[in-house]
Amino acid sequence: MAAIVLITLLPFYWVLRTALSANAGLDADPGSPLPAGLTGSGFARALGLQSTQKAIAQGGAGGGLVFWRYLLNSVIVSTLITVCQIFFSSMAAYAFARLCWRGRDKVFGLFLAGLMVPAIFTLLPNFVAGGGSFRTNEFRRVGYPSHIRESRFRFFGTDASMEQLATVALWQDKEGVKDITELLEPKPTMDPDDPSLQHIAPELRAAFTSGSAPVHDRSRLPREFDRLHNGHEGSHHFLVDDFVTAVNTRTLPSVNAWGAARYTLPGVVAHESARQGGTRLEIPDFGDAPEA
């Protein structure tokens, strides 16, 4: 029993030990069972009692926290939820316990069954529409050697997923897992030591010399592109073709300024927010693209 209690309490102790440790101490001795560089600066920052400059000096990111606002929001939300739950549950309890009506027991059974459904299941309609869902994430890991590309994509669907890791790419569906690394590996179009790339850092030149990969369908591209340099894992030729086609046919390309703005602006604004110590900033919305 004592062992079970210790195992249960260990995560809580570790959280407290980490909260009371200095950033530099954690870097120097991450496995110490005691607080590394005992300090209460983390709590001071959480309560809004520490300046951005001091947080950065202590090895933190310097982002500001508005603890009391967060606490007030939590109190308001939890209070409203509690009041509404009591109000509607009381009405339901009265209807089931004091009133006699046809089908009461069946409805009560459904009511109880609904209470047994985990709350996380109620989020599924947000991701499943028209019988399927699709989500994409881009990961940029920190700490890889410079010769390993850190930008990798993962696509998750209801029937299959594609995951790019550091040095391998996998396709997984309900039948199994398949290594598709070779299909996604772009073939170089020029030597990284080409004189035209002397102004580019050696570790970045792969982005400017990569051509198409076997998975790319180049049948839509003019044959003149076959002799031209490419880059960014084979995307340049397709982007140029999209642009020229849009100009000639007066249509809207799939990659356009309005769509690009919605993907790019959150990162730009997030960077400015970080420079201002974590201040909340509004992300502008330039609307949808005009009809072609």
Side-chain angles (χ1 to χ4, degrees):
M1 181 62 71
I4 295 176
V5 172
L6 288 176
I7 294 174
T8 303
L9 293 178
L10 180 60
F12 297 96
Y13 167 75
W14 201 256
V15 168
L16 181 62
R17 166 260 179 195
T18 304
L20 293 173
S21 300
N23 291 327
L26 290 174
D27 292 337
D29 190 7
S32 172
L34 298 176
L38 183 63
T39 178
S41 60
F43 293 96
R45 176 174 172 268
L47 295 173
L49 303 177
Q50 189 178 71
S51 65
T52 299
Q53 292 75 14
K54 188 173 182 179
I56 295 176
Q58 293 178 346
L65 294 175
V66 190
F67 174 79
W68 300 111
R69 178 186 296 172
Y70 299 159
L71 179 61
L72 177 61
N73 290 345
S74 298
V75 170
I76 293 174
V77 172
S78 59
T79 300
L80 288 175
I81 291 176
T82 302
V83 171
C84 291
Q85 285 277 21
I86 293 175
F87 177 74
F88 289 108
S89 296
S90 298
M91 290 195 299
Y94 182 84
F96 286 127
R98 308 296 295 180
L99 302 180
C100 294
W101 41 280
R102 181 177 299 178
R104 181 184 64 175
D105 293 342
K106 293 181 179 179
V107 174
F108 184 62
L110 292 174
F111 183 79
L112 291 179
L115 295 177
M116 298 177 187
V117 177
I120 191 65
F121 284 8
T122 63
L123 298 178
L124 290 179
N126 294 332
F127 301 102
V128 180
S133 67
F134 182 80
R135 302 179 68 189
T136 178
N137 299 285
E138 179 183 5
F139 294 89
R140 293 183 179 271
R141 296 177 175 87
V142 176
Y144 280 161
S146 60
H147 63 279
I148 298 180
R149 296 290 301 278
E150 83 289 357
S151 179
R152 290 293 179 260
F153 289 90
R154 295 183 180 183
F155 301 92
F156 303 97
T158 53
D159 292 325
S161 64
M162 190 281 286
E163 300 186 55
Q164 284 183 289
L165 306 177
T167 57
V168 67
L170 303 173
W171 173 267
Q172 180 172 338
D173 56 22
K174 299 175 182 178
E175 302 298 326
V177 181
K178 181 180 180 181
D179 188 331
I180 57 172
T181 306
E182 291 296 326
L183 292 177
L184 302 182
E185 188 66 28
K187 309 304 179 185
T189 58
M190 62 187 301
D191 192 323
D193 297 324
D194 190 278
S196 63
L197 300 176
Q198 290 182 354
H199 63 291
I200 299 174
E203 59 269 18
L204 298 178
R205 292 178 184 175
F208 295 85
T209 62
S210 58
S212 298
V215 73
H216 287 137
D217 180 9
R218 296 182 57 86
S219 61
R220 51 169 271 200
L221 299 177
R223 296 281 65 82
E224 291 80 0
F225 281 23
D226 294 341
R227 299 187 298 273
L228 300 178
H229 294 314
N230 207 331
H232 283 90
E233 303 193 9
S235 64
H236 287 184
H237 288 178
F238 291 94
L239 291 172
V240 171
D241 183 63
D242 279 347
F243 177 78
V244 174
T245 300
V247 172
N248 288 336
T249 61
R250 302 190 65 82
T251 56
L252 187 69
S254 56
V255 179
N256 55 74
W258 292 268
R262 281 183 170 156
Y263 278 100
T264 305
L265 283 173
V268 176
V269 175
H271 178 258
E272 182 60 28
S273 172
R275 295 181 59 188
Q276 297 183 23
T279 302
R280 289 174 178 256
L281 300 176
E282 182 179 355
I283 300 176
D285 184 1
F286 292 99
D288 297 324
E291 295 184 5

